[in-house]
Amino acid sequence: MMFDFARIWTRNTLIGLGLGQFLSLLITSTGFTSSELAKKGINAPTSQSFLNYVFLTLVYGTVLLYRRKALKAKWYYYIILGLVDVEANFLVVKAYQYTSLTSVMLLDCWSIPSVMLLTWLFLKTKYRFKKITGVVVCVAGLVLVVFSDVHSGDRAGGSNPRKGDLLVIAGATLYAISNVSEEFLVKSADRVELMAMLGLSGGIISAIQISILERNELKSIHWSAEAALPFVGFAVAMFMFYSLVPVLLKINGSIMLNLFLLTSDMWAVLIRIFAYHEKVDWMYFVSFGAVTIGLIIYSGGDRDDDQHPPNAAIDDHRPAVKQDEEANSGNHSKGAGAGSSKTWVA
């Protein structure tokens, strides 16, 4: 594919470049704070995400109440979406207890092929060969991460890397389900309503889950600035990520977003080498190269490359928490954000 650099390097692109790297650092910071808590023996993944939902509810819920308008989508849709999003964050953050920061952030890319499969099955989205080729290359890179963890045990990266890898893949799959669900919801709702209701439903579900699963863990934590700051930092980074991704999509679109967020894997490797002084297996660099090539191939086409049937058209103003314009694929979480997922996304 030939690029017209004079057309690419516009003012919007430069703004998007700066914002994209900021989002990439936000995703990396969520992974860093999760990894730090895991190293301190703090195992409360739902509690980490709870504050993010509180922030979303307070900020966007206030705007929603000010509007004094009825919800555009059924309330129980948001309950389902909140449940999926909470459990996605739970699984990905939980994975830091067992595997390395680099593995989590690379494997979070699994949400891309998951979204493509779900949109093909349920939204009847058609993908051209170039998109499929990119996903195959990307998945090949992810397989290298798992193989590396199984082969070497990734001794510096966690107590049970294989279990951690499976948790990330499960969480990334839930991120994909969340993003595809958002595609349905935003046809009859808007960004503020989605963020507010996602925050409210996610907060309620998180509170219930904390009271059941993490109550004793929270009581056993010796609360100090050293323990509290990673919690707050994670929530602030996630809230900013959820809020700023739609801005970047409006400026540059999802093609640039995917490429920008990919650099979070690079930041993760640098943190692991220089902050943790850990040895990174050579397969990570091969995997990173494969994932990079795969995402470039995947993102290289124009939006028209994907053929959406008329009844599955996507609202141009939909929010995108870790969401790809063509296939609603988030990168996190990266979720991430919880890592990456997030990709929200997420």
Side-chain angles (χ1 to χ4, degrees):
M1 178 179 178
M2 299 298 295
F3 292 97
D4 183 355
F5 287 99
R7 186 173 65 88
I8 290 177
W9 292 108
T10 62
R11 179 174 177 271
N12 281 346
T13 300
L14 294 175
I15 293 174
L17 178 62
L19 181 58
Q21 288 308 299
F22 181 63
L23 290 173
S24 180
L25 288 172
L26 286 177
I27 283 294
T28 307
S29 67
T30 62
F32 179 74
T33 53
S34 296
S35 184
E36 281 295 299
L37 289 171
K39 287 180 179 294
K40 298 179 188 300
I42 298 175
N43 181 18
T46 308
S47 301
Q48 284 182 235
S49 302
F50 176 70
L51 276 179
N52 172 46
Y53 294 120
V54 172
F55 291 156
L56 288 173
T57 304
L58 290 176
V59 174
Y60 293 101
T62 301
V63 177
L64 193 63
L65 289 175
Y66 178 78
R67 290 179 175 180
R68 296 186 179 182
K69 295 180 180 180
L71 295 178
K72 298 178 181 179
K74 301 294 184 181
W75 62 270
Y76 48 82
Y77 290 150
Y78 292 114
I79 296 294
I80 297 173
L81 178 60
L83 177 63
V84 173
D85 197 69
V86 167
E87 299 311 321
N89 285 327
F90 171 81
L91 290 173
V92 173
V93 175
K94 183 76 172 176
Y96 287 98
Q97 301 288 328
Y98 304 104
T99 192
S100 67
L101 174 65
T102 11
S103 290
V104 173
M105 302 199 74
L106 281 172
L107 287 170
D108 199 33
C109 294
W110 174 255
S111 60
I112 293 176
S114 299
V115 165
M116 291 188 73
L117 178 61
L118 290 171
T119 52
W120 177 69
L121 288 175
F122 298 105
L123 302 183
K124 309 304 179 185
T125 304
K126 297 179 181 179
Y127 295 96
R128 294 192 175 181
F129 181 75
K130 182 163 60 175
K131 296 283 187 184
I132 298 174
T133 301
V135 169
V136 170
V137 175
C138 186
V139 171
L142 304 182
V143 171
L144 284 176
V145 175
V146 179
F147 179 78
S148 174
D149 284 347
V150 172
H151 181 261
S152 66
D154 198 17
R155 290 179 294 275
S159 59
N160 193 337
R162 280 170 284 187
K163 182 177 181 180
D165 292 349
L166 290 175
L167 287 174
V168 179
I169 291 173
T173 303
L174 289 182
Y175 279 139
I177 295 173
S178 174
N179 288 337
V180 173
S181 300
E182 288 170 16
E183 181 169 347
F184 285 105
L185 288 174
V186 295
K187 294 176 185 177
S188 56
D190 58 26
R191 173 177 174 267
V192 172
E193 179 179 313
L194 178 60
M195 292 294 161
M197 295 304 295
L198 175 61
L200 179 61
S201 60
I204 293 173
I205 293 170
S206 294
I208 295 173
Q209 186 160 305
I210 290 170
S211 66
I212 298 173
L213 299 179
E214 300 179 7
R215 181 174 53 188
N216 293 331
E217 177 69 25
L218 291 177
K219 288 181 180 178
S220 66
I221 297 174
H222 176 65
W223 289 105
S224 62
E226 191 177 27
L229 285 177
F231 267 94
V232 177
F234 178 91
V236 172
M238 284 291 287
F239 171 76
M240 294 177 68
F241 181 83
Y242 272 52
S243 301
L244 292 176
V245 162
V247 178
L248 181 59
L249 284 175
K250 184 176 181 180
I251 296 175
N252 293 106
S254 60
I255 293 175
M256 298 293 283
L257 174 64
N258 279 332
L259 296 177
F260 289 146
L261 294 185
L262 180 64
T263 58
S264 62
D265 298 318
M266 178 189 68
W267 297 122
V269 171
L270 293 177
I271 287 175
R272 188 174 175 186
I273 294 174
F274 294 105
Y276 293 151
H277 304 290
E278 295 176 356
K279 183 179 179 181
V280 178
D281 191 272
W282 65 270
M283 282 191 179
Y284 281 115
F285 297 102
V286 178
S287 175
F288 179 77
V291 172
T292 301
I293 294 171
L295 286 181
I296 290 175
I297 295 173
Y298 170 80
S299 303
D302 294 327
R303 187 177 178 181
D304 293 338
D305 282 352
D306 298 331
Q307 307 300 320
H308 294 273
N311 62 348
I314 302 175
D315 190 327
D316 287 337
H317 300 286
R318 71 186 184 284
V321 180
K322 299 180 188 176
Q323 176 177 326
D324 183 279
E325 266 186 343
E326 292 119 359
N328 280 337
S329 61
N331 162 320
H332 67 161
S333 153
K334 294 263 177 186
S340 168
S341 130
K342 254 166 271 143
T343 292
W344 227 256
V345 335

